[in-house]
Amino acid sequence: MNWSFNDKTALVTGAASGMGLATARAFAEAGAAVALADVREDAVRAVADEFVAVGHKAIGIRCNVADEAEVAAMVAQTVATFGRLDAAFNNAGIQSPAAEAADVSGEEFDRVNAVNLRGVWACMKHELRQMREQGSGAIVNCSSIGGLIGLPGRAAYHAGKHGVIGLTRSAALEYAPRGIRINAVCPGTIDTPMVAEMLAKEPDAMKEILRDQPIGRLGRPDEIASAVLWLCSPGASFVIGHALAVDGGFTAH
């Protein structure tokens, strides 16, 4: 069933490309007004302009989610423009090069988790302040299969993604009684620019990925978008604090 988001406002971070762009487009096509945020200002504004050109309500906002002041301004601009905030996909994230845990620098650990963990926390914090006033809303945080399992060489990245699930579950219990649902999506290996860049640096990784992927292919950004929209829709009204794996069967091994 396709759920309508008419008269709703959605906010998507990391919206200039990949899963964020696909999800922002899906929200817009379902009738929502959409605030697209990304650290790449020119790219996200260009995408928002494309949405507006075909009749959608959209704005593009430059935001580095590692900076809480920018996150607060992003949410404030969204609400000032569209009047409310009904759904949010906290998707912005960065990769960390594969390295043994003993060889990861403190600077690298802080760099990746400033975006992947602290950034999600900051977004959720300021979104919740608006939703708490409204008494309604749905938030989906982007974790990863790396939030559900461990893999050699990925300790710094997986630490943050596990943390996102902890944030999601704890906050979900706090806000469920107040009409706000919080869940996480855990994508597998999705065909996005970030994954393409990673695979370019690790050419043998694709063979390993496809070998371990029961479905035999990479995921598509629109498949993550579908999961996010469902989690934000009335169809998932009884789903609270869940970490939904969308991974082609990878974690079902």
Side-chain angles (χ1 to χ4, degrees), residues 150-168:
L151 288 173
R154 302 292 180 189
Y157 180 80
H158 285 204
K161 293 302 187 179
H162 273 72
V164 167
I165 293 177
L167 279 173
T168 298

Side-chain angles (χ1 to χ4, degrees), residues 198-219:
M198 179 188 76
L199 294 176
K201 296 175 182 175
E202 303 173 40
D204 293 333
M206 180 62 86
K207 294 178 183 178
E208 296 179 14
I209 289 168
L210 293 181
R211 181 194 66 205
D212 295 334
Q213 202 86 325
I215 203 170
R217 63 172 175 84
L218 299 182

Side-chain angles (χ1 to χ4, degrees), residues 23-245:
T23 303
R25 180 174 288 115
F27 271 125
E29 291 176 350
V34 184
L36 299 90
D38 201 285
V39 71
R40 296 166 291 169
E41 183 173 8
D42 290 346
V44 78
R45 290 190 186 280
V47 170
D49 288 345
E50 291 175 11
F51 280 30
V52 171
V54 295
H56 300 309
K57 295 179 181 178
I59 55 170
I61 304 170
R62 194 261 178 208
C63 182
N64 174 7
V65 299
D67 185 328
E68 188 181 347
E70 291 192 19
V71 170
M74 170 189 70
V75 175
Q77 184 177 348
T78 300
V79 176
T81 303
F82 298 122
R84 56 186 297 111
L85 179 60
D86 301 287
F89 180 35
N90 297 322
N91 163 72
I94 57 176
Q95 265 291 353
S96 184
E100 287 190 27
D103 297 327
V104 177
S105 69
E107 291 79 8
E108 175 59 19
F109 187 91
D110 289 344
R111 182 190 74 87
V112 69
N113 287 302
V115 175
N116 292 359
L117 180 56
R118 194 179 191 281
V120 169
W121 163 79
C123 288
M124 190 170 64
K125 171 182 175 177
H126 289 279
E127 292 154 0
L128 282 168
R129 288 181 172 184
Q130 172 62 29
M131 292 178 176
R132 187 170 60 185
E133 286 187 20
Q134 296 171 185
S136 64
I139 295 173
V140 177
N141 295 322
C142 192
S143 180
S144 164
I145 56 171
L148 300 170
I149 61 172
L151 288 173
R154 302 292 180 189
Y157 180 80
H158 285 204
K161 293 302 187 179
H162 273 72
V164 167
I165 293 177
L167 279 173
T168 298
R169 288 176 171 160
S170 294
L173 296 178
E174 291 175 6
Y175 288 93
R178 288 182 264 183
I180 303 166
R181 293 185 304 101
I182 308 172
N183 292 285
V185 66
C186 299
T189 308
I190 309 299
D191 188 7
T192 65
M194 189 170 80
V195 168
E197 182 180 350
M198 179 188 76
L199 294 176
K201 296 175 182 175
E202 303 173 40
D204 293 333
M206 180 62 86
K207 294 178 183 178
E208 296 179 14
I209 289 168
L210 293 181
R211 181 194 66 205
D212 295 334
Q213 202 86 325
I215 203 170
R217 63 172 175 84
L218 299 182
R220 301 189 311 271
D222 66 278
E223 291 173 314
I224 303 304
S226 294
V228 174
L229 261 68
W230 175 70
L231 286 170
C232 290
S233 79
S237 57
F238 205 56
V239 182
I240 304 288
H242 184 62
L244 176 63

